[in-house]
Amino acid sequence: MDIDFPFVLTWAVIVSGGIWLIDHLAFRPRRMRAAEALRASRGEKASEEAIEAVLKEPVLTEYARSFFPVLLLVLVLRSFLAEPYQIPSESMVPTLEVGDFILVNKYAYGIRLPVLGTKIVEIGNPERGDVMVFIPPHEPRYFIKRVIGLPGDRIRYRNKVLTINGQPIAQEYVDEEIVGGRVYYRVYNETLGDTNHQIYNYPARLEVEREWQVPEGHYFVMGDNRGRSDDSRRWGFVPDHNVVGKAVAIWIHKKPGLHWPTFARNGLIN
């Protein structure tokens, strides 16, 4: 089961901040009055050790006060600026490989409240060709795909070729992989908007021709590894409030298993 880290982090900030605030408003003044009473009753006989013992914070409050600013800073950075994300599957090969650690720009598509996803500041919207991180409508965990269709677009997928609003998206042959004397997959260059990227198509994989009309406030997404991607072709559209951010760069790569991380794949994401 995936851990909802933003949810856990948000509650950690609320709980630690609440403990510190309650102590500051309610219990700290009591400790201060108790210390003053001790000084008044004992005068010069009141030792500094005794006064410090009265003023001493409970262990829980001490931990809460120490962790609250750190947790709050992490929450702000992850919610409004940038967030790391690890590629778990082959759905975006060859653009992204399993083991890539990427940086997600959280403010490219507007500033949103953590956990709720409500947009509070408009900055921009997903563009065709963007690599986007989001929560799909059928599963409460992060996915990453390429934006194909914008609100209002009509998408058709036939013979492994995209058509958007009646315009076929050109594919330029690059290479192919032969396995057992047969073509396993072919590599093509594809251009969506201002973005040029490579895709994999699998000739032996049969796909039914389909069309979709993208509703307002939603996006149609697909993986670059077209024959190995669970995307909008199966589960539908991505609501705008489920958008997390724009994938902008690969900052480190680690192959699964006992392998050292490398920086060989560092670079911006097309």
Side-chain angles (χ1 to χ4, degrees):
M1 181 177 66
D2 291 334
I3 297 175
D4 190 343
F5 186 76
F7 179 83
V8 173
L9 180 61
T10 300
W11 273 105
V13 170
I14 292 172
V15 171
S16 61
I19 291 172
W20 174 80
L21 183 62
I22 291 171
D23 179 81
H24 184 77
L25 296 178
F27 297 107
R28 185 172 181 272
R30 294 183 186 180
R31 294 195 298 272
M32 297 292 291
R33 289 194 295 269
E36 289 299 325
L38 180 64
R39 289 193 185 96
S41 63
R42 297 188 180 180
E44 295 181 356
K45 294 182 179 179
S47 66
E48 289 298 323
E49 290 80 4
I51 294 174
E52 287 179 3
V54 172
L55 292 174
K56 183 175 177 59
E57 294 177 335
V59 174
L60 182 62
T61 301
E62 186 176 348
Y63 277 115
R65 180 172 56 83
S66 300
F67 284 113
F68 173 69
V70 177
L71 293 172
L72 180 62
L73 177 62
V74 173
L75 178 65
V76 169
L77 290 176
R78 287 180 62 101
S79 299
F80 305 123
L81 297 178
E83 181 176 0
Y85 176 79
Q86 183 180 7
I87 302 301
S89 72
E90 298 179 345
S91 70
M92 282 296 293
V93 172
T95 304
L96 300 172
E97 296 181 0
V98 176
D100 283 345
F101 286 79
I102 65 171
L103 193 64
V104 180
N105 184 332
K106 299 295 288 289
Y107 61 86
Y109 303 142
I111 296 178
R112 301 168 186 266
L113 292 176
V115 181
L116 299 177
T118 304
K119 188 182 294 186
I120 57 176
V121 178
E122 291 280 353
I123 295 178
N125 293 304
E127 299 289 341
R128 200 184 329 277
D130 286 358
V131 177
M132 184 173 76
V133 176
F134 57 91
I135 300 173
H138 69 297
E139 196 170 343
R141 65 186 180 95
Y142 285 179
F143 272 39
I144 181 166
K145 308 290 179 187
R146 192 175 297 277
V147 178
I148 304 296
L150 305 178
D153 283 348
R154 179 169 289 278
I155 310 295
R156 184 175 71 176
Y157 193 61
R158 179 184 182 188
N159 296 329
K160 308 186 191 310
V161 176
L162 277 169
T163 299
I164 303 177
N165 298 327
Q167 298 295 320
I169 304 302
Q171 296 180 352
E172 179 186 358
Y173 172 82
V174 176
D175 200 359
E176 60 187 33
E177 179 76 10
I178 306 295
V179 177
R182 295 183 178 182
V183 176
Y184 179 48
Y185 64 79
R186 292 192 175 100
V187 185
Y188 294 90
N189 281 331
E190 183 180 77
T191 301
L192 291 170
D194 297 328
T195 304
N196 182 268
H197 57 278
Q198 290 190 339
I199 63 171
Y200 282 3
N201 275 333
Y202 296 77
R205 185 181 178 88
L206 299 178
E207 297 181 70
V208 178
E209 176 185 351
R210 291 190 62 188
E211 289 193 16
W212 302 265
Q213 179 75 40
V214 185
E216 289 300 319
H218 292 73
Y219 300 93
F220 186 93
V221 298
M222 295 174 67
D224 290 347
N225 193 359
R226 295 285 162 80
R228 297 289 187 272
S229 174
D230 181 24
D231 51 39
S232 288
R233 290 172 292 177
R234 186 180 73 84
W235 41 254
F237 309 104
V238 179
D240 181 72
H241 63 263
N242 281 17
V243 172
V244 174
K246 180 180 180 180
V248 293
I250 302 170
W251 61 279
I252 199 171
H253 176 82
K254 180 187 178 301
K255 291 182 179 180
L258 299 176
H259 297 279
W260 289 102
T262 73
F263 298 96
R265 287 183 46 77
N266 284 23
L268 298 177
I269 297 172
N270 290 325

